[in-house]
Amino acid sequence: MAVSIKNSEEIAKMHVAGRLAGEVLDYIAPFVKVGITTNELDQLCHDYMVNVQGCIPAPLNYAPSGHNPYPKSICTSINHQVCHGVPGDKKLKHGDIVNLDITTIKDGFHGDTSRMYYVGEPSIQARRLCETAYLSMWRGIRAVKPGATLGDIGHAIQSYVEGMGYSVVREFCGHGIGRRFHEEPQVLHYGKPGTGLRLEPGMIFTIEPMVNAGKAGIKQLGDGWTVVTRDHSLSAQWEHTILVTETGFEVMTLSAGAPAIPD
Ligand code: MF3
Ligand code: CO
Ligand code: CO
């Protein structure tokens, strides 16, 4: 199926779903502390989405082909976990870094965004990794405009990440998003300038680079979801949902508590 171009009504609904997803990340920030479990974070986010926002948490029972249904409402990926970490009863400890990935459904449309959180004070290396992943996402976002290509986005991310001595995960990518959680196109976080699909106004997709401190290799755990680095090095990820506009891009998942946009 082709890449869909969203009309103005669809874009308006995507704006709402996106902002709400960002607001879940704002809401949960003060709870991300030493001693809380990822199950507790999951429950808090679930209740906020359902009871306060009137949203459906998209991950809950999400079952793409080849996967068992995802059992929780958010993804919580700690330290060497790359993505799709399943919340559990382990307590967060001082120095952990954790990605919380939120996908809301509001009025039939999806908003998808994630951030890194520090549990207490991170190591210098962990902080540098998280900051690099954040800046790499923004390099990718800034490459978005009509006429640019998906390869331009991937190249902007990859060249920055590798220049910092880190690596980009290949097996997972950004994705079109709308009425469905994962739509075409696939948005790779590596690539060559000028290659791949040409961007047009009205396309909406995520940019969500996974950056490993060590090698790029990953493996999936026995729960069928949690992905970890093969070499057990730390991994960091950030995600926004992006609209291609007539002049460039618009970030659909911004919220009041989002970290500062880099210069
Ligand atoms: N939110 C993830 C993404 O960015 C997908 C999570 S699928 C789940 O695409 F089932 F693990 F929730
Ligand atoms: Co996504
Ligand atoms: Co996500």
Side-chain angles (χ1 to χ4, degrees), residues 66-116:
H67 283 274
N68 53 308
Y70 189 79
K72 300 286 175 173
S73 295
I74 69 170
C75 297
T76 57
S77 304
I78 306 167
N79 295 335
H80 71 297
Q81 296 178 347
V82 172
C83 64
H84 305 166
V86 179
D89 53 21
K90 232 174 69 184
K91 289 177 159 70
L92 294 179
K93 55 186 200 311
H94 186 83
D96 283 347
I97 57 171
V98 57
N99 174 280
L100 303 184
D101 192 339
I102 303 294
T103 311
T104 53
I105 308 172
K106 181 73 170 181
D107 209 1
F109 288 84
H110 291 74
D112 191 7
T113 182
S114 81
R115 294 180 196 157
M116 297 302 298

Coordinates of all heavy atoms in Angstrom, one line a residue, residues 66-116:
G66 N 3.4 -12.4 13.8 CA 4.7 -12.9 14.3 C 4.9 -12.6 15.8 O 6.0 -13.0 16.4
H67 N 4.0 -11.8 16.4 CA 4.2 -11.4 17.8 C 3.0 -11.9 18.6 O 1.9 -11.9 18.2 CB 4.3 -9.9 17.9 CG 5.6 -9.3 17.6 ND1 6.7 -9.2 18.4 CD2 6.1 -8.8 16.4 CE1 7.7 -8.7 17.8 NE2 7.4 -8.4 16.6
N68 N 3.3 -12.2 19.9 CA 2.2 -12.4 20.8 C 1.7 -11.0 21.2 O 2.4 -10.1 21.2 CB 2.7 -13.2 22.0 CG 3.9 -12.6 22.7 OD1 4.9 -12.4 22.0 ND2 3.9 -12.4 24.0
P69 N 0.4 -10.9 21.7 CA -0.1 -9.6 22.0 C 0.7 -8.9 23.1 O 1.1 -9.6 24.1 CB -1.5 -9.9 22.5 CG -1.9 -11.3 22.0 CD -0.6 -12.0 21.8
Y70 N 1.0 -7.7 22.9 CA 1.8 -6.9 23.9 C 0.9 -6.8 25.1 O -0.2 -6.3 25.1 CB 2.2 -5.6 23.3 CG 3.2 -4.8 24.2 CD1 4.5 -5.2 24.1 CD2 2.8 -3.8 25.0 CE1 5.4 -4.5 25.0 CE2 3.7 -3.2 25.8 CZ 5.0 -3.5 25.8 OH 5.9 -2.9 26.6
P71 N 1.5 -7.1 26.3 CA 0.7 -7.2 27.5 C 0.5 -5.9 28.3 O -0.3 -6.0 29.2 CB 1.4 -8.3 28.3 CG 2.9 -8.0 28.0 CD 2.9 -7.6 26.5
K72 N 1.1 -4.9 27.9 CA 1.1 -3.7 28.8 C 0.7 -2.4 27.9 O 0.6 -2.5 26.7 CB 2.5 -3.4 29.4 CG 2.9 -4.6 30.3 CD 2.2 -4.6 31.6 CE 2.6 -5.8 32.5 NZ 2.0 -5.8 33.8
S73 N 0.6 -1.3 28.6 CA 0.1 -0.1 27.9 C 1.2 0.9 27.5 O 0.9 1.8 26.7 CB -0.8 0.7 28.9 OG -2.0 -0.1 29.1
I74 N 2.4 0.7 28.0 CA 3.6 1.5 27.5 C 4.8 0.6 27.4 O 4.8 -0.6 27.9 CB 3.9 2.6 28.5 CG1 4.5 2.1 29.9 CG2 2.7 3.5 28.8 CD1 5.0 3.1 30.8
C75 N 5.8 1.1 26.8 CA 7.1 0.3 26.7 C 8.1 1.1 27.7 O 8.2 2.3 27.7 CB 7.7 0.3 25.3 SG 6.6 -0.6 24.1
T76 N 8.9 0.3 28.4 CA 9.8 0.8 29.4 C 11.2 0.1 29.1 O 11.3 -1.1 29.5 CB 9.3 0.5 30.8 OG1 9.1 -0.9 31.0 CG2 8.0 1.2 31.1
S77 N 12.1 0.7 28.5 CA 13.4 0.1 28.1 C 14.5 0.7 28.9 O 14.8 1.9 28.8 CB 13.6 0.3 26.6 OG 12.5 -0.2 25.9
I78 N 15.1 -0.2 29.8 CA 16.1 0.3 30.8 C 17.5 -0.1 30.3 O 17.7 -1.2 29.9 CB 15.8 -0.4 32.1 CG1 14.4 -0.2 32.6 CG2 16.8 0.1 33.2 CD1 14.0 -1.1 33.8
N79 N 18.4 0.9 30.4 CA 19.8 0.6 30.2 C 20.2 -0.1 28.9 O 20.1 0.6 27.9 CB 20.4 -0.1 31.4 CG 20.3 0.7 32.7 OD1 20.3 1.9 32.6 ND2 20.3 0.1 33.8
H80 N 20.5 -1.4 28.9 CA 20.9 -2.0 27.7 C 19.7 -2.5 26.9 O 19.8 -3.1 25.8 CB 21.8 -3.2 28.0 CG 21.2 -4.4 28.6 ND1 20.6 -4.2 29.8 CD2 20.9 -5.6 28.2 CE1 20.0 -5.4 30.2 NE2 20.2 -6.3 29.2
Q81 N 18.5 -2.2 27.4 CA 17.3 -2.6 26.6 C 17.1 -1.5 25.5 O 17.1 -0.3 25.8 CB 16.1 -2.6 27.5 CG 16.2 -3.8 28.5 CD 15.0 -3.9 29.4 OE1 14.2 -3.0 29.5 NE2 14.9 -5.0 30.1
V82 N 16.9 -1.9 24.3 CA 16.9 -1.0 23.1 C 15.5 -0.4 22.9 O 15.4 0.8 22.7 CB 17.4 -1.8 21.9 CG1 17.2 -1.0 20.6 CG2 18.8 -2.2 22.0
C83 N 14.5 -1.3 23.0 CA 13.1 -0.9 22.7 C 12.2 -2.0 23.1 O 12.6 -3.1 23.4 CB 12.9 -0.5 21.3 SG 13.1 -1.8 20.1
H84 N 10.9 -1.6 23.2 CA 9.8 -2.6 23.5 C 10.0 -3.3 24.8 O 9.5 -4.5 25.0 CB 9.7 -3.6 22.4 CG 9.5 -3.0 21.0 ND1 9.6 -3.6 19.8 CD2 9.2 -1.7 20.7 CE1 9.4 -2.8 18.8 NE2 9.1 -1.6 19.3
G85 N 10.7 -2.7 25.8 CA 10.9 -3.3 27.1 C 9.5 -3.4 27.7 O 8.7 -2.5 27.7
V86 N 9.2 -4.6 28.3 CA 7.9 -4.9 28.9 C 7.9 -4.5 30.3 O 8.8 -5.1 31.1 CB 7.5 -6.3 28.7 CG1 6.1 -6.6 29.3 CG2 7.5 -6.7 27.2
P87 N 7.0 -3.7 30.8 CA 7.0 -3.3 32.2 C 6.9 -4.6 33.1 O 6.2 -5.5 32.8 CB 5.8 -2.4 32.4 CG 5.6 -1.8 31.0 CD 6.0 -2.9 30.1
G88 N 7.6 -4.5 34.3 CA 7.6 -5.6 35.2 C 7.7 -5.1 36.6 O 7.5 -3.9 36.9
D89 N 8.0 -6.0 37.6 CA 8.1 -5.6 39.0 C 9.5 -5.3 39.5 O 9.7 -5.2 40.7 CB 7.3 -6.6 39.8 CG 7.8 -8.0 39.6 OD1 9.0 -8.2 39.1 OD2 7.1 -9.0 39.9
K90 N 10.4 -5.1 38.6 CA 11.8 -4.7 39.0 C 11.8 -3.2 39.3 O 11.2 -2.4 38.6 CB 12.8 -5.0 37.9 CG 14.0 -5.8 38.4 CD 14.9 -6.2 37.3 CE 15.7 -5.0 36.7 NZ 16.5 -5.4 35.6
K91 N 12.4 -2.8 40.4 CA 12.5 -1.4 40.8 C 13.6 -0.7 40.0 O 14.7 -1.3 39.8 CB 12.8 -1.3 42.3 CG 11.6 -1.7 43.2 CD 12.1 -1.6 44.7 CE 11.0 -1.5 45.7 NZ 10.2 -2.7 45.9
L92 N 13.3 0.5 39.7 CA 14.4 1.4 39.1 C 15.4 1.7 40.2 O 15.1 1.9 41.3 CB 13.8 2.6 38.5 CG 12.8 2.5 37.3 CD1 12.3 3.8 36.9 CD2 13.5 1.8 36.2
K93 N 16.7 1.7 39.7 CA 17.7 2.0 40.7 C 18.5 3.2 40.3 O 18.5 3.6 39.1 CB 18.6 0.8 40.9 CG 19.2 0.2 39.7 CD 19.9 -1.1 40.0 CE 20.9 -1.4 38.9 NZ 20.4 -1.3 37.5
H94 N 19.3 3.8 41.2 CA 20.0 5.0 41.0 C 21.0 4.8 39.8 O 21.7 3.8 39.7 CB 20.8 5.4 42.2 CG 21.6 6.7 42.1 ND1 20.9 7.9 42.3 CD2 22.8 7.0 41.7 CE1 21.8 8.9 42.1 NE2 22.9 8.4 41.7
G95 N 21.0 5.8 38.9 CA 21.9 5.7 37.7 C 21.3 5.0 36.5 O 21.9 5.1 35.4
D96 N 20.1 4.4 36.6 CA 19.5 3.8 35.4 C 19.1 4.9 34.5 O 18.7 6.0 34.9 CB 18.2 3.1 35.8 CG 18.4 1.7 36.5 OD1 19.6 1.2 36.4 OD2 17.5 1.1 37.0
I97 N 19.1 4.6 33.2 CA 18.4 5.4 32.2 C 17.3 4.6 31.6 O 17.4 3.3 31.4 CB 19.4 5.8 31.0 CG1 20.1 4.7 30.3 CG2 20.5 6.8 31.6 CD1 20.8 5.0 29.1
V98 N 16.1 5.2 31.4 CA 15.0 4.4 31.0 C 14.2 5.2 29.9 O 14.0 6.4 30.0 CB 14.1 4.1 32.1 CG1 13.6 5.3 32.9 CG2 12.8 3.2 31.7
N99 N 13.9 4.5 28.8 CA 13.0 5.1 27.8 C 11.6 4.7 28.1 O 11.3 3.6 28.3 CB 13.4 4.6 26.4 CG 12.4 5.0 25.3 OD1 11.4 4.5 25.1 ND2 12.8 6.1 24.6
L100 N 10.7 5.7 28.1 CA 9.3 5.5 28.2 C 8.7 5.9 26.8 O 8.8 7.0 26.3 CB 8.6 6.3 29.3 CG 9.2 6.1 30.7 CD1 8.4 6.9 31.7 CD2 9.2 4.6 31.1
D101 N 8.0 4.9 26.2 CA 7.4 5.1 24.8 C 5.9 5.0 25.0 O 5.4 4.0 25.4 CB 8.0 4.0 23.9 CG 7.7 4.3 22.4 OD1 6.8 5.0 22.1 OD2 8.4 3.7 21.6
I102 N 5.2 6.0 24.5 CA 3.8 6.2 24.7 C 3.1 6.3 23.3 O 3.6 7.1 22.5 CB 3.5 7.5 25.5 CG1 4.1 7.6 26.8 CG2 1.9 7.7 25.5 CD1 3.7 6.6 27.8
T103 N 2.1 5.5 23.1 CA 1.3 5.7 21.9 C -0.2 5.7 22.3 O -0.7 4.8 22.9 CB 1.6 4.5 20.9 OG1 3.0 4.4 20.7 CG2 0.9 4.9 19.6
T104 N -0.8 6.8 22.0 CA -2.2 7.1 22.3 C -3.0 6.8 21.0 O -2.5 7.0 19.9 CB -2.4 8.5 22.7 OG1 -1.9 9.4 21.7 CG2 -1.7 8.8 24.1
I105 N -4.3 6.5 21.3 CA -5.3 6.5 20.2 C -6.4 7.5 20.7 O -7.0 7.2 21.7 CB -5.9 5.2 19.8 CG1 -4.8 4.1 19.6 CG2 -6.8 5.3 18.6 CD1 -5.3 2.7 19.4
K106 N -6.6 8.5 19.9 CA -7.7 9.5 20.2 C -8.5 9.7 19.0 O -7.9 10.1 17.9 CB -7.1 10.8 20.8 CG -8.1 11.8 21.2 CD -8.8 11.4 22.5 CE -9.7 12.6 23.0 NZ -10.3 12.2 24.3
D107 N -9.8 9.5 19.1 CA -10.7 9.7 17.9 C -10.2 9.0 16.7 O -10.3 9.5 15.5 CB -10.7 11.3 17.6 CG -12.0 11.7 17.0 OD1 -12.9 10.9 16.8 OD2 -12.1 12.9 16.7
G108 N -9.6 7.8 16.9 CA -9.2 6.9 15.8 C -7.8 7.1 15.3 O -7.4 6.4 14.4
F109 N -7.1 8.1 15.8 CA -5.8 8.5 15.3 C -4.7 8.3 16.4 O -5.0 8.5 17.6 CB -5.7 9.9 14.7 CG -6.5 10.0 13.4 CD1 -7.8 10.2 13.4 CD2 -5.8 9.9 12.2 CE1 -8.5 10.2 12.2 CE2 -6.5 9.9 11.0 CZ -7.8 10.1 11.0
H110 N -3.5 7.9 15.9 CA -2.4 7.6 16.8 C -1.4 8.7 17.0 O -1.1 9.5 16.0 CB -1.6 6.4 16.3 CG -2.3 5.1 16.3 ND1 -3.4 4.8 15.4 CD2 -2.2 4.0 17.1 CE1 -3.8 3.6 15.7 NE2 -3.1 3.1 16.7
G111 N -0.9 8.9 18.2 CA 0.3 9.7 18.5 C 1.4 8.9 19.2 O 1.0 8.2 20.1
D112 N 2.6 9.0 18.7 CA 3.7 8.1 19.2 C 4.9 8.9 19.5 O 5.4 9.6 18.7 CB 3.9 7.1 18.0 CG 4.8 5.9 18.4 OD1 5.1 5.7 19.6 OD2 5.2 5.2 17.5
T113 N 5.4 8.8 20.8 CA 6.5 9.6 21.2 C 7.2 9.0 22.4 O 6.6 8.3 23.2 CB 6.1 11.1 21.5 OG1 7.3 11.8 21.9 CG2 5.1 11.1 22.7
S114 N 8.5 9.1 22.5 CA 9.2 8.6 23.6 C 10.4 9.5 24.0 O 10.8 10.3 23.2 CB 9.8 7.2 23.3 OG 11.0 7.2 22.6
R115 N 10.7 9.4 25.3 CA 11.9 10.2 25.9 C 12.7 9.3 26.7 O 12.2 8.2 27.2 CB 11.3 11.3 26.8 CG 10.6 12.4 26.1 CD 10.1 13.4 27.1 NE 9.1 14.3 26.5 CZ 8.2 15.0 27.2 NH1 8.2 14.9 28.5 NH2 7.3 15.6 26.6
M116 N 13.9 9.7 27.0 CA 14.8 9.1 28.0 C 14.6 9.8 29.3 O 14.5 11.1 29.3 CB 16.3 9.2 27.6 CG 16.6 8.4 26.3 SD 16.3 6.6 26.4 CE 17.3 6.1 27.7

